[in-house]
Amino acid sequence: MTSAPVAPAPVRPVGTTPDRPAGSIRRRQRLRRALTGWAFSAPYTILFLVFMAVPVVISLVMSFTDLRSTDLRNPFAVNFVGLDNYTRLFSDDLFLRSSLNTLVFVVIGVPLTIVLALAAATALNSGLLRFRGLFRVGFYLPVVTSIVAVAVVWRFLLDPEVGLVNNLLRVVGVDGPNWLFDTKLALPSLIVMAAWRNFGFLMVVFLAGLQAVPADLYEAATLDGANRWQQFRNVTLPMLRPTLLFGGVVTGIGYLQFFEEPFVMTQGGPLSSTLSVSYHIYNQFGFGNYGYAAAGSYVLFVAIVALSVIQFRFLGERK
């Protein structure tokens, strides 16, 4: 009589015991990995919370108070005023003037910078220019140059007496204006300077985008009889849509916050014709109107978000 076969004992995963099943081990390993990850990211997380997140929240709360520099010694005397700071902003003639200046700076400066950058990138990508590396360095150099150095150069160029621009105009018999002290010309002068200083960054971005366009598309367009302009309009620009979106958003955000140009060149004058929203907020903080200045900062933040949404709407991918 033969005995019945004996079933093999179940194989238990390595490292487990009857009291510690495999599921518990895996959960402990996941927890250990998560704690290790948080330990490595803790320094940045702490710095971000202390110097970024917490101040942002505090400034938002501050915008609903009447906090002034005189209240720092007695913070419990601060009162919540609701939306009063925001309503004051839109009834403040100086804030409205600075908002208009900023709007003009963005509406003219962003397209001008993009056009200059795209033209330079197209010329460098065409292969028609010699010493392309030298041109790349020359176009990008103002981006990494200090705004103080750039301002000194441009103030000399635009000087009404000894400036290079007016001296060139005198050669052709034109008496040049006082560029930085004319209420109609000061802001356009800053726009031109900002476009000259910043288009080099976008040129590098656009050049990378142009080099990523497949050559087969241009060959197909050529076979279809498209000229250079038709190729640029129907092939290059559609393929550069994501790159143009990036350039428009980044430049728009920067120009909405423009501050260094009027601060160094004109101090907001003449007659507040170059005063920007950021400069106005800076002045209010200097005057000790902390709650009012914080409200202006959040109005500027909403404007940045709105501009970015508009750009994504018109330049984003169309389904």
Side-chain angles (χ1 to χ4, degrees):
M1 182 176 180
T2 60
S3 58
V6 179
V11 178
R12 183 179 298 112
V14 178
T16 63
T17 64
D19 298 330
R20 297 175 62 188
S24 175
I25 297 296
R26 286 194 294 269
R27 284 193 295 270
R28 289 176 178 270
Q29 291 175 345
R30 287 197 296 267
L31 178 61
R32 188 179 298 113
R33 286 196 296 268
L35 292 177
T36 302
W38 277 109
F40 278 107
S41 63
Y44 170 79
T45 303
I46 293 173
L47 290 174
F48 174 79
L49 291 175
V50 172
F51 294 103
M52 290 291 293
V54 173
V56 165
V57 174
I58 292 176
S59 65
L60 178 61
V61 176
M62 188 191 305
S63 70
F64 298 102
T65 68
D66 60 355
L67 180 65
R68 292 181 53 83
S69 57
T70 54
D71 297 322
L72 296 180
R73 295 182 179 180
N74 187 16
F76 294 102
V78 177
N79 299 313
F80 280 90
V81 295
L83 298 176
D84 286 356
N85 287 328
Y86 293 91
T87 56
R88 281 179 55 201
L89 279 172
F90 292 102
S91 60
D92 183 352
D93 292 337
L94 201 56
F95 177 78
L96 296 178
R97 178 63 184 271
S98 66
S99 300
L100 179 61
N101 293 338
T102 304
L103 179 63
V104 173
F105 195 91
V106 171
V107 170
I108 299 178
V110 172
L112 178 61
T113 306
I114 290 177
V115 169
L116 290 176
L118 188 57
T122 303
L124 292 175
N125 190 60
S126 64
L128 299 177
L129 292 177
R130 301 178 62 185
F131 308 109
R132 285 183 291 176
L134 181 62
F135 279 102
R136 291 180 187 179
V137 174
F139 288 149
Y140 193 78
L141 190 60
V143 179
V144 296
T145 304
S146 168
I147 179 61
V148 176
V150 171
V152 170
V153 172
W154 275 83
R155 289 184 69 173
F156 174 75
L157 291 175
L158 300 176
D159 188 274
E161 300 298 331
V162 297
L164 178 62
V165 176
N166 281 1
N167 281 331
L168 291 176
L169 291 176
R170 291 190 188 102
V171 172
V172 295
V174 177
D175 189 13
N178 194 342
W179 298 96
L180 296 178
F181 294 92
D182 188 310
T183 56
K184 296 181 180 180
L185 296 175
L187 186 60
S189 300
L190 295 187
I191 293 174
V192 172
M193 187 194 76
W196 172 84
R197 179 173 179 253
N198 294 292
F199 87 92
F201 169 74
L202 291 186
M203 178 204 67
V204 174
V205 175
F206 291 160
L207 186 59
L210 288 171
Q211 293 174 349
V213 178
D216 297 344
L217 297 179
Y218 293 109
E219 294 175 1
T222 302
L223 292 175
D224 289 338
N227 56 32
R228 288 294 183 88
W229 168 248
Q230 290 172 332
Q231 292 179 24
F232 180 79
R233 187 183 63 182
N234 299 313
V235 177
T236 304
L237 288 181
M239 294 299 295
L240 283 181
R241 182 181 290 271
T243 310
L244 290 171
L245 173 62
F246 171 80
V249 170
V250 171
T251 308
I253 291 174
Y255 282 7
L256 272 174
Q257 302 175 82
F258 88 102
F259 170 79
E260 295 94 342
E261 292 84 355
F263 181 77
V264 176
M265 299 282 288
T266 62
Q267 292 75 50
L271 300 178
S272 301
S273 60
T274 60
L275 183 69
S276 66
V277 173
S278 295
Y279 201 166
H280 182 62
I281 294 170
Y282 168 83
N283 287 336
Q284 293 303 316
F285 269 110
F287 298 154
N289 301 323
Y290 298 148
Y292 184 74
S297 301
Y298 277 94
V299 170
L300 181 60
F301 168 74
V302 171
I304 291 173
V305 172
L307 178 63
S308 301
V309 170
I310 292 172
Q311 290 175 321
F312 271 95
R313 174 67 179 82
F314 285 98
L315 293 176
E317 295 184 2
R318 297 179 180 178
K319 300 180 180 179

